[in-house]
Amino acid sequence: EPPVKLGLIFGDFIHNLRSALDNLLRQLARLGGVDNCDRTQFPICDTAQQFSEQVRRGRLAGLSDQHIAAIELLQPRPGRNLNHYFALTALRDFDNIDKHQAIHAAVIAFDPRPEAMRARRAGPDSEIAFEIEPVTIGKPLYDGAVVARVRIASGRLKPNMGMEFEFPLRMGFGEHGLGEDKLTVIWRLAREIIESFAPAFSEAEQRDPGDGGDSTEPQDK
């Protein structure tokens, strides 16, 4: 079994991305003149009704209508960008579990793709064909598990002949088995969302260039 700390690292990864989106909205609210942003957070809603409820509760207070509309378009909805739907719902659900329920389990399983499996004949040359029936492909591994069953389809084994099989491993997290290959998808989407609002802060800096460094008062960093 993989070490428990991998579940802690995964939870930290998910929560940092979720917090980054919340921090984005707090900064957008401050651009709108709202200093008290305790209730502000990035909504991830499955329906338009849920999104409207988040607006009513002040989760987007201080944001311009343009920014609210842009955030609404990012919400996971049927028919919208599938990567957005998967990444945002996974980010929300796995973060809620990590914060309020339990440490995410880390599991190791064989790669379920047939093309990932490799077989090699070792020993005397012989024409032999065989079929592989995966048993635990895509399921968590455990000591003593039957990995696969091999059947000779044609030909026969000879003395000193051996068969070597290779089953690549994959890491998964949580009860729903979020594969390690999906972590990059979630990270990339969170980064794209944050970077898409960068022009708003650039425009704000141009409107308010600051004191020019002439003040003798200490400056907040």
Side-chain angles (χ1 to χ4, degrees), residues 18-150:
R18 186 71 178 91
S19 298
L21 295 180
D22 289 340
N23 289 338
L24 167 66
L25 254 66
R26 289 186 177 94
Q27 295 304 318
L28 289 173
R30 290 190 173 99
L31 287 181
V34 175
D35 293 327
N36 185 0
C37 302
D38 291 343
R39 297 171 60 85
T40 306
Q41 67 178 36
F42 191 98
I44 302 177
C45 305
D46 297 317
T47 66
Q49 182 179 358
Q50 291 176 358
F51 186 83
S52 297
E53 177 63 17
Q54 292 297 301
V55 174
R56 187 190 67 80
R57 294 173 61 185
R59 300 302 192 192
L60 291 87
L63 272 68
S64 67
D65 292 341
Q66 179 184 359
H67 290 157
I68 293 176
I71 292 169
E72 197 284 328
L73 288 175
L74 292 170
Q75 299 303 299
R77 298 279 194 282
R80 291 184 175 177
N81 187 301
L82 288 179
N83 280 340
H84 281 207
Y85 181 85
F86 158 75
L88 284 178
T89 54
L91 187 58
R92 176 195 63 197
D93 296 344
F94 280 88
D95 182 52
N96 286 338
I97 293 172
D98 182 74
K99 288 190 300 182
H100 305 299
Q101 298 180 33
I103 297 172
H104 288 290
V107 297
I108 292 178
F110 286 120
D111 193 324
R113 299 171 301 166
E115 64 271 19
M117 296 184 290
R118 297 181 179 87
R120 181 171 59 255
R121 185 176 62 248
D125 188 24
S126 174
E127 293 296 329
I128 184 171
F130 53 86
E131 298 174 352
I132 302 177
E133 177 193 356
V135 177
T136 58
I137 298 298
K139 300 177 182 179
L141 291 177
Y142 58 90
D143 288 341
V146 176
V147 176
R149 296 185 178 93
V150 181

